[in-house]
Each structure stands twice: as structure tokens, then as C-alpha cells.
Amino acid sequence: MTDFDFNSEISLAVSHNSILHIWSFILTTCLLVTVLAIYRYVSSQCTYWETQGVKTVSVGLLTRFTKQWHEWEHELCKRNGKIFGIYEMTKPVLFVSDPDLIRDILVKDFHIFNNRRDFSTGVEPLLDNMLTVVKDEQWKKIRSIMSPTFSTGKLKKMMPLIVECRNSLFNNLDKIAKTDGQTDMKRLLGAYAMEVVIQVAFGTKVDALFDENNPIIVNARKVFGQNINPKLILVLFAPKLAKLLKISPFDKKVMNFFKDLTLNIIEERKRNNDSVKRIDFLQLMLDSMQNNITLDSEENKDNDHEKYKEIQATDDIDKTLTSDELVAQCVLFFLAGYETSATTMSLCLHQIAKHPEVQQKLYLESKKYFDEYKGVDYDELNSLKYLNAVIMETQRLLPAALFLERVPNEDYELRGTGITIKKGHIVHIPLYAMQRDADNFADPEVFRPERFLPENIAHHPYAYLPFGAGPRNCIGMRLAQMEVRLGLISLANRYRFYPSEKPLEFFTSGGGMIPKTVMVKMERRA
Ligand code: HEM
């Protein structure tokens, strides 16, 4: 190599390096300018709460998803009081924890707050037609077709089917009690909850649900069983972008699994076409597809308290379901009925295992139910006051849903505050934080079921919302209460539970408080 060549190689390398440096400088500057421009744009859009005199809190997206959601939200509410505003990107969200205002939003002015935030995908009819997602008239139609499934009369008729599910649970727990008794109650009660859903929804018994590898259970666990679901985050915080990118928050394979399962059950029902009139959820849906349904508002006459009053079914409501709507509600039934009930029951067991004095009182109450009513009577089950108090106290401290949300369909002035919430803004009701607020419950961190005995109840009805409230509350509440009450009283009667060393750990996804496992040690009572 000559001197000349050597120098030109060096000068070529130097000039390449300089070009690279110039380009990386230009790119970094562009990136910084873009980030700054987005930041300035977002900040300039985030001024609404200021104009309303509302305390504004800036929250980082990262802290929200790296911390356990319930802890994050609890701390936020403790620091900032009963009304404050945040922004999700540029969307104004108002946190409201005042029980009187919550009553206005959920019940009194329900005609304005009848929808949740937009969760539709525009590409996934299975999700977009679910009762939890649909809006306005479509919601009214589907809700009034579904609600008779959960009337007291129907549930009473279903009690023997649920007792059968409870008996399969016993069979499985008896086997575990013969080993060292250490078990994940969340898994076992998940199988019980799924059996109940399948019985109530489809009048079908599916065997082997207690098998951990059963595909129904495996797929149901996939829906909620992850810590951070990036697609869900995008749908929640940038719904327009998610729609543009045609993103659906749940795994398509899982959704298709439940869709195919539902279609098979429907096909079988049509093939068998037996003459016995069935009372299950699927039959109500199929009848409504043929416009063959009489909406009986008498069915719900027990829902007389305003907190849980159903919308009234009137003649002007369209009563015909499309096939997309039918399949979506069936799949929703699987998803909504499984994780929430299994979580509530297993957390009740976790609590009684940690509080032996509570467990003993519950056992004494269970003895009467089993000795006098053989553990199968519907009305008597609902009159067990201590059982009810244990469940309510567990749901106060560890509710399956951490918050409720509503979106007004017109501008709305919050009574007595001078604050106007604009059409399309989000109202966020942080029920986990409210249920642990000393203004609502004395010694809020203490597990004390006695506070829910009828003679001791002292809280505002809208400070306790594990099933939501108003016409858009949990449609499955009565079914869930029946299944959880029957499950818990039966287990307390037959077994003794001891706490496990393993602390509870929750998934952080989606605003639910879903434990990964609930380990307890159990033994059969003599
Ligand atoms: C312990 C068990 C359960 C808990 C804690 C629970 C909790 C909730 C909560 C907090 C809501 C939101 C209510 C609101 O926005 O005001 C809800 C809605 C809903 N739940 Fe449940 N749920 C449970 C069991 C069930 C079951 C067993 C089903 C059905 C089989 C069900 C079906 C639904 C549906 C379809 C909605 C949406 C209602 C609508 O938008 O009209 N849930 N649930």
C-alpha cells in the first residue's frame, strides 16, 4: 500500500464518520423536536380541569403499569381527595369518590351516563357486540333480553344444578384433603365457577373441568392471566389509534375458541330440538333471535332498591338479536362469569384461613344450614347473615373490579360543585380506594365481617360498590351471590382451612384485582 493510498483511506473513513455524525445529529434533533412538539401539544390540550377549578394530577403511564394497579390508585386517591382530574394522553378523566355524587351519576342521571368508555375495536364483532361494550339503544335491547336469566325465579330453579357443581367440587377437594392438603383454591374454584356458567348458560354438563389442562379453563385463564397486555393498554389509552391499526385487546385464538365452543353448543341444541322448554340463558337468546320473546318486567320485581333496579322492558324496545349479538353474549358469559366469581370465593377462603375466629362462626352457621336444610335450600341460603357478611367484607377489601367508569352523552354539571364534565369525558369511580377510606368505613384496613351484619351497617350505600350500581350494574350479581354463598358455606362446613406462607400476588392487567394463585392448606372436618 502506498503513502497516498493510506492517506486517502484515512480521509475516506474520516469523511464517512463525519457524515454519520451529521446524520445522527440531524436525526436526534428531529426526534427531540418531535417529542417536544408532542409534549407541547399534549400539555396545551391538558388544561380543561384547570378551567373548572379542579385539582389536576399528572400521572405517569409507566408508574401506572409497573406498580400493582390497586396500590397505585389507592395512593393517588389518598393524596388527592374526593374529586380530582387526570389526563390520559389528552383525554380528561375525573376521579369522583363522593358517594352522593356517585349516586347521581350511576342512578339519578343514568340517562346521561348510560355508557362506559369506548372499548369497541371496529374489527372484532365478537367483542364489539358484548353487553359490557355496546352503547345506548343496543345496550338497552341486549340488557333487557338477558336480564330475565338472572331473576330470582329462574335462579331458584337453577339451584339444584349449582348444587351438582358444588358436589363435584367436594369430590375433588376430598381427594386433596387426603394428601398434604396444600392447594391453589383459585384453580379449583375456577373449575366450579366455569361449571356453574356452563350449566346456567347452556344447560349442559361438561365433565373434567377440574382437570388443569381442560382447554376451556386453559383459554379462560389466558384472557385475564397476564400482567401487562400492551394491546389492552393501546385500546384503553389511544382508542382511535387502536382502531386505525385494527387492534383487538384479546388474543384472537382465545376468542375463536369460545366462539366455536358456543356455536357447537347452539348447533347441538338446534339438532336435538327437544320438546321440554328450557330455562337457560341460551334458550332466551335463541328465542329472541326468532322474535319469540316476551319481556316480563315482573321477573325483576325483586330488584326494587334503586341501587340495583333494572331498566324497565317496554314494548318499544326492539327484541330481536342478530347472530353476532347472540354469540358475543354467550362468549361474554364465559369470560365475565369465570374469573370474578372464582376470585371472590378463593379470597373469602384466604380471609377465613387467616381469621380462625371468623371461620369458627361461619362453621356454626353452616351446621344449621346443613343439619336442617341439607345444604340445598335457596331461600335459607340467602338468609345466612354471617355468611353474607364474610363475603361482603372480603369484597370490600379485595374487590374483583377496582373501579367503575361512565361517560356522559351531554355536558353535565356535577351537583353543588360548579364543575362541568363535557360530553365524552370519562368519570372514574375508584371503588377499591373508596372501600378502604376511613371516611366510609371505620378501621378500613381491618377485616371485620360484623360491620356488614344488618344491625351494624353504617356506610353510605354508594360507598360500597363491588357489583357497581344503577341500571348498568353487574347483570350476573344474583347468580354470582348464589354461587359464592353456596360454595363458601359448603366448604366451611366440610373442611378446615389454614393460611399458607405464600402471600397473595395479583395480575395488574385491566383494572381487575385477580390473584395469580390463592394457596391454602385444608383438611376434612371429622
Ligand atoms: C363475584 C362475581 C362478580 C363480580 C364481583 C362482578 C363485578 C362486576 C362489576 C363491578 C361490573 C361493572 C358494573 C358497573 O359498571 O356498574 C360488572 C358488570 C358486568 N358483569 Fe359482573 N361480576 C361478577 C360476576 C358476574 C357473572 C357471574 C356474570 C355473568 C355470568 C357477570 C356478567 C357481567 C356483565 C355482562 C356485566 C356488564 C353489564 C352491563 O354493561 O350492562 N358478572 N360485574
Side-chain angles (χ1 to χ4, degrees):
M1 194 178 280
T2 63
D3 276 356
F4 178 73
D5 285 337
F6 181 70
N7 286 338
S8 71
E9 286 277 323
I10 288 177
S11 59
L12 211 64
V14 167
S15 72
H16 266 141
N17 249 343
S18 321
I19 291 172
L20 266 178
H21 273 114
I22 291 168
W23 270 113
S24 63
F25 175 75
I26 292 173
L27 283 175
T28 314
T29 313
C30 285
L31 200 70
L32 280 176
V33 169
T34 315
V35 170
L36 203 67
I38 293 176
Y39 176 77
R40 290 195 65 153
Y41 171 76
V42 169
S43 307
S44 73
Q45 298 298 302
C46 295
T47 54
Y48 182 73
W49 295 132
E50 243 169 65
T51 68
Q52 296 298 301
V54 173
K55 178 173 183 185
T56 311
V57 181
S58 63
V59 292
L61 200 61
L62 270 183
T63 26
R64 191 160 177 165
F65 290 102
T66 45
K67 266 195 165 178
Q68 294 261 302
W69 195 314
H70 57 280
E71 285 168 6
W72 172 79
E73 188 149 315
H74 193 194
E75 277 167 29
L76 192 71
C77 293
K78 270 206 279 197
R79 272 203 310 272
N80 298 298
K82 300 226 184 300
I83 300 182
F84 59 93
I86 65 163
Y87 297 92
E88 285 176 2
M89 303 300 279
T90 57
K91 171 73 90 186
V93 178
L94 191 68
F95 274 60
V96 180
S97 308
D98 177 307
D100 287 322
L101 295 177
I102 289 174
R103 176 177 174 267
D104 287 355
I105 293 164
L106 296 179
V107 176
K108 202 172 123 290
D109 296 320
F110 176 74
H111 58 289
I112 297 171
F113 289 96
N114 54 350
N115 297 322
R116 302 201 175 91
R117 76 163 72 204
D118 186 12
F119 204 64
S120 61
T121 63
V123 286
E124 180 57 271
L126 199 57
L127 198 74
D128 294 354
N129 282 296
M130 285 183 181
L131 185 71
T132 36
V133 176
V134 292
K135 296 184 183 158
D136 304 319
E137 290 308 302
Q138 194 189 6
W139 170 77
K140 221 172 181 177
K141 174 185 82 167
I142 299 177
R143 176 98 189 189
S144 53
I145 291 170
M146 278 176 84
S147 71
T149 316
F150 303 97
S151 70
T152 308
K154 290 259 166 37
L155 290 180
K156 222 170 172 166
K157 286 189 196 151
M158 286 175 187
M159 178 83 174
L161 301 176
I162 298 178
V163 167
E164 259 185 53
C165 303
R166 187 266 320 265
N167 293 344
S168 357
L169 176 65
F170 276 169
N171 286 340
N172 285 285
L173 288 184
D174 283 354
K175 284 182 208 148
I176 292 167
K178 284 186 190 142
T179 64
D180 71 348
Q182 293 276 359
T183 190
D184 173 12
M185 287 308 299
K186 167 82 191 306
R187 185 175 66 79
L188 290 160
L189 289 165
Y192 164 69
M194 188 54 91
E195 270 210 38
V196 170
V197 162
I198 294 175
Q199 284 277 20
V200 174
F202 306 111
T204 305
K205 183 139 181 58
V206 181
D207 287 330
L209 276 184
F210 289 86
D211 167 7
E212 205 171 337
N213 300 318
N214 183 297
I216 301 180
I217 297 288
V218 171
N219 280 287
R221 292 186 87 135
K222 278 189 193 156
V223 177
F224 300 97
Q226 56 178 308
N227 254 341
I228 293 181
N229 175 349
K231 289 187 196 163
L232 185 63
I233 295 172
L234 198 70
V235 171
L236 285 174
F237 294 99
K240 286 189 183 136
L241 181 64
K243 265 193 192 135
L244 201 72
L245 300 175
K246 300 191 187 325
I247 282 178
S248 168
F250 298 120
D251 185 341
K252 219 173 164 52
K253 275 196 213 141
V254 174
M255 286 295 163
N256 283 339
F257 170 83
F258 283 108
K259 184 177 171 185
D260 293 344
L261 186 65
T262 303
L263 291 175
N264 285 339
I265 297 173
I266 294 174
E267 267 316 298
E268 200 173 322
R269 170 77 51 99
K270 283 184 180 158
R271 250 198 327 272
N272 291 341
N273 199 15
D274 41 34
S275 53
V276 185
K277 181 74 184 150
R278 288 172 174 270
I279 55 161
D280 55 43
F281 169 77
L282 176 60
Q283 197 58 46
L284 270 174
M285 305 279 112
L286 287 172
D287 287 351
S288 71
M289 269 183 85
Q290 290 152 10
N291 210 351
N292 194 10
I293 189 168
T294 334
L295 297 179
D296 184 0
S297 47
E298 274 297 289
E299 287 272 19
N300 289 316
K301 68 176 178 233
D302 53 320
N303 302 352
D304 48 2
H305 190 281
E306 60 158 30
K307 191 171 169 189
Y308 301 123
K309 208 172 169 61
E310 277 292 317
I311 44 155
Q312 288 302 303
T314 51
D315 284 343
D316 59 330
I317 297 180
D318 171 18
K319 293 159 202 145
T320 324
L321 282 185
T322 65
S323 64
D324 272 348
E325 286 172 338
L326 173 121
V327 177
Q329 307 328 309
C330 292
V331 173
L332 174 61
F333 218 112
F334 280 115
L335 305 184
Y338 164 70
E339 198 67 78
T340 46
S341 305
T343 289
T344 305
M345 272 182 286
S346 48
L347 291 176
C348 286
L349 286 180
H350 168 82
Q351 293 290 25
I352 66 166
K354 272 182 31 191
H355 298 89
E357 69 297 349
V358 172
Q359 188 169 175
Q360 180 60 15
K361 284 190 197 166
L362 192 60
Y363 171 65
L364 294 177
E365 194 172 62
S366 79
K367 266 178 77 58
K368 180 167 171 268
Y369 184 57
F370 273 79
D371 293 348
E372 289 177 30
Y373 300 93
K374 310 261 177 291
V376 297
D377 188 90
Y378 178 85
D379 293 320
E380 201 53 33
L381 179 69
N382 290 337
S383 72
L384 300 175
K385 296 192 176 62
Y386 198 68
L387 168 68
N388 196 38
V390 171
I391 298 168
M392 289 181 82
E393 179 67 340
T394 305
Q395 290 189 297
R396 181 183 72 80
L397 283 169
L398 302 166
L402 298 175
F403 55 81
L404 311 173
E405 284 189 343
R406 296 291 187 270
V407 175
N409 54 31
E410 58 185 63
D411 293 359
Y412 177 84
E413 193 177 326
L414 264 188
R415 184 163 51 104
T417 62
I419 301 168
T420 296
I421 308 166
K422 289 261 185 212
K423 176 181 173 178
H425 287 177
I426 294 169
V427 174
H428 184 99
I429 301 171
L431 68 90
Y432 174 87
M434 287 173 66
Q435 294 178 176
R436 285 177 181 246
D437 183 341
D439 289 350
N440 297 324
F441 294 92
D443 306 324
E445 300 298 326
V446 178
F447 178 75
R448 189 190 297 142
E450 283 69 16
R451 69 172 95 232
F452 282 106
L453 291 174
E455 62 275 20
N456 298 337
I457 286 185
H459 63 269
H460 190 299
Y462 293 89
Y464 180 73
L465 299 162
F467 289 102
R472 202 147 190 184
N473 74 337
C474 173
I475 198 171
M477 178 178 76
R478 280 185 182 73
L479 168 65
Q481 285 172 331
M482 168 165 132
E483 135 187 39
V484 172
R485 284 175 189 157
L486 184 69
L488 186 60
I489 200 73
S490 306
L491 296 178
N493 182 262
R494 199 172 173 97
Y495 309 99
R496 220 179 250 112
F497 295 93
Y498 303 95
S500 147
E501 302 280 289
K502 195 167 183 243
L504 288 177
E505 209 186 318
F506 295 91
F507 290 115
T508 47
S509 74
M513 199 168 176
I514 308 293
K516 291 179 180 171
T517 55
V518 181
M519 295 302 295
V520 291
K521 184 169 160 39
M522 50 170 282
E523 65 184 20
R524 180 93 193 256
R525 284 184 187 269

